[in-house]
Amino acid sequence: MSEISTAVHAPGDRRDSARWLALGVIGLAQLMVVLDATIVTIALPFAQRDLGISEGDKQWALTAYTLIFGGLLLLGGRLADYLGRRRIFLVGLVGFAAASALAGLAQNGAQLFAGRGLQGAFAALLAPAALALVSVTFTEAKERARAFAVFAGISAGGAAIGLIAGGALTEYASWRWTLLVNTPIAILAFVGALAFVIKDVPAPRTGGYDVPGAVTVTAGLIAIVYGFSRAADHGWTSGGTLALLVAGLALLVAFVAIERRSANPLLPLRIPGESNRGGALLAALLIPIAMFAMFLFLSFYFQVTLGYSPLKAGVAFLPFPVGIAVSAGITSALLPKLGPRPLMIAGAALGVVGLLWLAQLSYGDSYAAGVLPAQLLIALGMGPLFVGMQAVALHRVDEADAGVASALLNAAQQVGGAVGTALLTTISVQAAKDYLADNPTVDDLAARAAIYSYDVAFYVGAGFFLAAIPVIALMIKAKPTDFAEDAEESLRVPLAV
């Protein structure tokens, strides 16, 4: 086996085309991971009926996935660094295929929840390995920007695509196929990865694994994600919710103390401590809160208020991934010229305007006038945000830390999504109760109360987009030339071919 640098790509080299085929394989796996967080949303009522799942337990079809995924991401990223990103990527694909089959063939609620939890565990291997592979495969500045644009479009649009696919599969096949469809896709990605994905050189490891760090951060993230999820049903002041959040924060504080002293840390604190990267990670925490507000409440609006079928509700989200694809492509061309900060600020501003537009929804409004323009504005904003976040979060990260840096970005997004779902659900439920109490004689009271509750959630979501703007403006200072120089500096990664 010979060793060559990814910084050298002669015209006509067979690896030029192989790298883009590898990106297709990596993107397919990332799409599978991202859409799986939402693909069962529309199918859930059908699975609940067939498997006899109670109202109190149905949330576990979603929560089992997000809990385990969010909790194990940092560990998955470090395993990718130490054992090889390609190797962990392949292991994740095999495990995800098996877990999807288990969930799709479930005969009771417990089997479904177990399968979803295993999906989350293997997704925690796949997601950081996939992003790290993009980082080490594309090192020339313009190509890297284009690759991140593709990956960002998949990451941002995957949730909407999941709703579309879930609606179609539920309506024309069965709810089980929202899960079973992953198995052949994962197998196809596995074959493609063997053929096209680079064999990277794992990071050298002189000491043992950081077991105390792995245990504390995993338990801490799970406790926080579960605490936020539980708040939607039990309230923010319930003893169980507060205990989980306090315990999660305490465990994360302990994790930081452990990492400061560890000779071989799971998460070197220099990664989130750098200003640009810290800003990208904070933005990655804030933006999904706002984005999930749109997905969650528009899903209810389409099916409950407008009476859409599962398929029609999914198709109604189609402008979102289309808009992201367009804006991500534009961003990839502009990133080396303008740098990430102005593009990300513009994206967040578009998100604010889009959610404020949605917050004007009223009873009797049409999809074309009330929803479509807002969706397009938000989608056009998400492209620069996700491309920028991913580019900055991995900007000049040591090759040995690429996996854990990717995992940290994914963890921020996952926790942000969980926070958004729980926080905005709680706020909207209370808003609906207040509307019902204040307007007892209004016609179509239930429908009007629901729309009012969505509007309140959209206003709060706009606030999170707005909060991201000063974070980006003050913390992300990377210049266009910084990204152009990446190809000439430390991202020359030896690859076995």
Side-chain angles (χ1 to χ4, degrees), residues 394-412:
L394 293 179
H395 177 57
R396 293 183 179 174
V397 172
D398 291 341
E399 188 272 334
D401 296 327
V404 74
S406 304
L408 191 58
L409 176 64
N410 275 283

Side-chain angles (χ1 to χ4, degrees), residues 48-132:
Q48 181 184 3
R49 180 193 63 203
D50 287 354
L51 301 182
I53 300 171
S54 69
E55 280 293 315
D57 288 340
K58 70 178 182 180
Q59 59 138 344
W60 284 103
L62 302 174
T63 307
Y65 182 83
T66 56
L67 269 179
I68 303 301
F69 185 22
L72 293 179
L73 269 167
L74 276 181
L75 180 59
R78 204 33 134 187
L79 288 174
D81 287 333
Y82 286 158
L83 300 179
R85 290 101 190 167
R86 182 176 182 266
R87 179 181 298 170
I88 292 299
F89 185 74
L90 293 171
V91 170
L93 285 171
V94 172
F96 202 88
S100 297
L102 173 64
L105 298 174
Q107 299 302 304
N108 53 55
Q111 291 177 12
L112 175 64
F113 304 151
R116 291 287 286 164
L118 284 173
Q119 280 185 311
F122 287 105
L125 298 180
L126 270 176
L131 186 53

Side-chain angles (χ1 to χ4, degrees), residues 156-193:
I161 295 171
L163 293 168
I164 298 168
L169 290 169
T170 300
E171 188 155 332
Y172 292 113
S174 162
W175 67 265
R176 293 183 182 278
W177 278 103
T178 63
L179 297 160
L180 292 173
V181 71
N182 290 321
T183 300
I185 293 174
I187 292 172
L188 178 63
F190 182 88
V191 174

